[in-house]
Amino acid sequence: MDMVRTKLTRLLPVVAASAGVLALSACGSGGTTPAASSSTPSSTSPAATTTVTTATSSPASSAPAAPPVAQPADDGLCKAGDVKLSLGQGDAGAGSVYRPLLITNSSSKPCTIQGFPGVSYVAGSDGHQVGKDAFREGTKGNAVKLNPGQTAAADIQFVNVGNFDPGTCQPTPVKGLRIYLPQETASNFVPDEGTGCASTKIPGNQLAVKTVHPA
């Protein structure tokens, strides 16, 4: 009996020690599990997501280059800035005066002119048009090449507007002529004070112009 007690007394410390080791092991295992779970969200960091969005939303990298601006071609025609205009001496006849419109190439290069100039009376400080454009009389002539300093002409008929009924004509003081060279969109002004018909319903033409020809 004493022998049995002695053996039991020796075994109890060993069992107790083993139980303590198992308890510590279990506690250690339970403490590391939450730590592993809390580290999982770090792989989806908000900072990383913001960086990717900023890089892909920049429009500068995909903006197309601006196309080059096309320059107007030099077609060799006389432009408004290439010439000086004046009215030459004329002849009177049948209630009209005929005067040549003189077109001189004042530029440093040759230019070509062909056809009918656009002609109209203008008045006031704003240069507004008075009456209809000049009637184009005859057919279009050949092209005229003007070297620097050379002159071409187009004959203009100025009708005496006193021949028209004043109520129909609506006589208006004019300051001169607005001239458009053939195939040109910019105009020139030629001073020539007189009287024109403001009405566009007169029975006839107050101005008529012929094609350009060598002076």
Side-chain angles (χ1 to χ4, degrees):
M1 208 50 187
D2 292 336
M3 228 171 174
V4 171
R5 287 198 185 112
T6 301
K7 287 182 180 181
L8 288 173
T9 302
R10 290 176 179 175
L11 287 171
L12 285 173
V14 174
V15 172
S18 299
V21 170
L22 289 173
L24 288 174
S25 175
C27 290
S29 175
T32 58
T33 301
S37 300
S38 63
S39 64
T40 302
S42 64
S43 62
T44 58
S45 172
T49 304
T50 303
T51 302
V52 172
T53 303
T54 302
T56 57
S57 62
S58 175
S61 60
S62 59
V69 179
Q71 298 298 322
D74 184 1
D75 53 15
L77 297 177
C78 296
K79 309 295 185 183
D82 297 332
V83 299
K84 288 184 178 180
L85 304 182
S86 61
L87 289 171
Q89 297 299 318
D91 299 318
S96 297
V97 175
Y98 297 84
R99 300 178 66 183
L101 172 67
L102 303 176
I103 307 167
T104 301
N105 182 358
S106 58
S107 72
S108 59
K109 60 182 180 180
C111 66
T112 300
I113 186 169
Q114 181 180 17
F116 298 89
V119 181
S120 61
Y121 281 130
V122 291
S125 58
D126 59 349
H128 64 273
Q129 182 169 328
V130 175
K132 289 183 178 181
D133 297 344
F135 174 76
R136 295 180 176 183
E137 184 179 322
T139 58
K140 182 177 179 180
N142 296 325
V144 179
K145 181 179 180 180
L146 297 178
N147 290 317
Q150 289 185 330
T151 300
D155 299 322
I156 299 176
Q157 177 187 10
F158 297 82
V159 176
N160 182 357
V161 296
N163 296 335
F164 301 112
D165 176 69
T168 304
C169 172
Q170 301 174 19
T172 303
V174 297
K175 291 189 173 182
L177 302 173
R178 178 182 291 123
I179 307 294
Y180 287 93
L181 297 183
Q183 304 177 60
E184 170 66 311
T185 56
S187 65
N188 297 81
F189 172 72
V190 178
D192 185 41
E193 294 186 357
T195 303
C197 291
S199 173
T200 58
K201 298 180 179 180
I202 58 175
N205 302 298
Q206 63 178 344
L207 293 169
V209 62
K210 294 183 178 181
T211 190
V212 172
H213 58 85

